[in-house]
Amino acid sequence: MALHDQPLLTTVYENVEDFLPGEGSIYIFGTSVEQRSAHSSEWEARAVNIEFVRIVEQTNSHFVAVIGSSKMQVSLRNRSQLEAFWVAASGGSCFLDITGLSHHIWAPLLRFGLEFATSLTVTYVEPGEYRFSPAPTENEIFDLSEAIEGIAPIPGFAKLREQRLEQVCLVPLLGFEGTRFAYMVEQVQPPGENIVPVIGVPGFRPEYPFYSFHGNRLALTDNHAWKNVRFAIANCPFSLFYLLDDIAAENEHKLLKVAPIGTKPHALGAVMYALARDHVELIYDYPIRKAKRTEGTARLLAYHVSDFMQD
């Protein structure tokens, strides 16, 4: 697959303020400690006839959302509750802002949103800057995570059948944190030739792919996985989707265990792929994020997910 300079099926807004949801739509979002996840009251006031649904609590088992004047608690592993959320929230055209939501929250929401929303667009705000570590090591250039809670499937995306190690292909979608990649390899323990890392190229910034290689150098070298590195545009979920199809074709009869530990757009592509294919499992390490891990905001990207998934 040839690389392109721009993401596919995506509307790019150079400034967050340039974007507004369409009139009459639903906008679902949550906020985190990062500045880029927060919307100003002035921005919301400019949005005409939009219903804002705010997710105010995120845990490993449930989330709490404010819909209108009421709160709804939704279990991430309860299909009927997830369906009830979308019945209460959706009325047609929906936007799901994943910037301030953890993977294990927005991925189940996306699964059911594609069923219940007439049109679903996913939005994401790129960070202005990542915070460098005050004491950088070879594995940790940036100061992003405090700890890892432990590896587990993302809710709704587990595969029940057992797989022998030689029948598993681990596809880590790499970011800057080499310790997370090393942890995934240690837990899954696939043969080195069955590790196919993916790095975002082009990156959000030109230098970011170099940081990814540097931050993951030890794990890439120890397992000789550097020989298998593949590339997909860092902010394009659709490029990652097509790349996973290529990797699957090269690893026929193997279960792809995709670890979304890099960019959130790549994680979105992995989730879409898991919804469309039956030979993939999403595994996640549930990192505890540090406060002020990023500063500022950059571009806002609107991904036309339902258009892509309906093709």
Side-chain angles (χ1 to χ4, degrees), residues 190-254:
E193 65 271 16
N194 286 7
I195 303 174
V196 184
V198 176
I199 290 179
V201 175
F204 292 175
R205 291 189 174 186
E207 67 270 24
Y208 283 179
F210 299 99
Y211 289 146
S212 293
F213 271 110
H214 183 67
N216 292 280
R217 190 187 71 83
L218 290 179
L220 287 170
T221 303
D222 289 347
N223 300 283
H224 302 285
W226 60 270
K227 299 178 182 179
N228 301 328
V229 170
R230 306 291 294 272
F231 306 103
I233 304 170
N235 62 5
C236 183
F238 311 110
S239 293
L240 189 279
F241 186 104
Y242 291 129
L243 177 60
L244 290 176
D245 251 347
D246 292 343
I247 294 172
E250 296 163 3
N251 292 271
E252 194 174 2
H253 306 307
K254 292 177 185 174

Side-chain angles (χ1 to χ4, degrees), residues 15-306:
N15 298 294
V16 175
E17 295 77 15
D18 294 338
F19 166 79
L20 281 176
E23 184 173 351
S25 61
I26 313 295
Y27 196 86
I28 302 168
F29 69 103
T31 55
S32 68
V33 295
E34 297 181 75
Q35 176 187 346
R36 61 186 172 128
S37 70
H39 304 131
S40 69
S41 57
E42 292 82 4
W43 181 84
E44 291 191 11
R46 288 195 292 116
V48 179
N49 191 26
I50 308 299
E51 181 176 356
F52 289 94
V53 176
R54 181 190 295 269
I55 294 177
V56 295
E57 181 181 325
Q58 304 178 54
T59 76
N60 287 353
S61 61
H62 72 271
F63 67 85
V64 176
V66 175
I67 305 176
S69 59
S70 61
K71 284 188 176 181
M72 175 182 288
Q73 180 170 308
V74 180
S75 170
L76 296 169
R77 292 175 172 82
N78 188 307
R79 180 183 181 92
S80 62
Q81 290 186 21
L82 285 161
E83 290 178 344
F85 168 82
W86 276 105
V87 169
S90 67
S93 178
C94 293
F95 293 85
L96 176 61
D97 186 340
I98 65 175
T99 310
L101 299 177
S102 298
H103 291 359
H104 67 283
I105 301 292
W106 62 259
L109 280 174
L110 180 67
R111 172 189 285 274
F112 290 95
L114 288 169
E115 295 182 20
F116 284 86
T118 303
S119 173
L120 181 61
T121 301
V122 172
T123 58
Y124 172 73
V125 178
E126 295 177 345
E129 301 280 352
Y130 285 101
R131 181 182 178 186
F132 279 93
S133 173
T137 65
E138 193 159 19
N139 280 337
E140 299 295 337
I141 305 169
F142 293 95
D143 198 21
L144 304 180
S145 301
E146 292 183 358
I148 294 171
E149 292 192 23
I151 192 170
I154 291 176
F157 293 87
K159 296 295 182 184
L160 299 180
R161 66 180 185 270
E162 291 291 330
Q163 294 285 326
R164 297 194 305 274
L165 289 180
E166 64 270 20
Q167 293 179 315
V168 169
C169 178
L170 175 63
V171 185
L173 312 179
L174 299 184
F176 304 135
E177 300 175 281
T179 53
R180 296 180 68 189
F181 176 28
Y183 180 77
M184 284 289 180
V185 173
E186 179 183 345
Q187 295 300 308
V188 179
Q189 295 188 344
E193 65 271 16
N194 286 7
I195 303 174
V196 184
V198 176
I199 290 179
V201 175
F204 292 175
R205 291 189 174 186
E207 67 270 24
Y208 283 179
F210 299 99
Y211 289 146
S212 293
F213 271 110
H214 183 67
N216 292 280
R217 190 187 71 83
L218 290 179
L220 287 170
T221 303
D222 289 347
N223 300 283
H224 302 285
W226 60 270
K227 299 178 182 179
N228 301 328
V229 170
R230 306 291 294 272
F231 306 103
I233 304 170
N235 62 5
C236 183
F238 311 110
S239 293
L240 189 279
F241 186 104
Y242 291 129
L243 177 60
L244 290 176
D245 251 347
D246 292 343
I247 294 172
E250 296 163 3
N251 292 271
E252 194 174 2
H253 306 307
K254 292 177 185 174
L255 174 68
L256 296 190
K257 288 201 172 190
V258 181
I261 57 177
T263 73
K264 194 165 276 188
H266 274 186
L268 174 59
V271 168
M272 293 191 299
Y273 191 77
L275 291 174
R277 305 287 189 264
D278 61 2
H279 54 260
V280 59
E281 179 180 60
L282 302 182
I283 56 174
Y284 195 48
D285 56 355
Y286 292 84
I288 300 173
R289 296 300 196 181
K290 287 191 175 181
K292 298 182 179 179
R293 59 192 297 270
T294 65
E295 296 180 359
T297 62
R299 296 174 297 185
L300 182 144
L301 300 105
Y303 302 114
H304 306 292
V305 171
S306 57

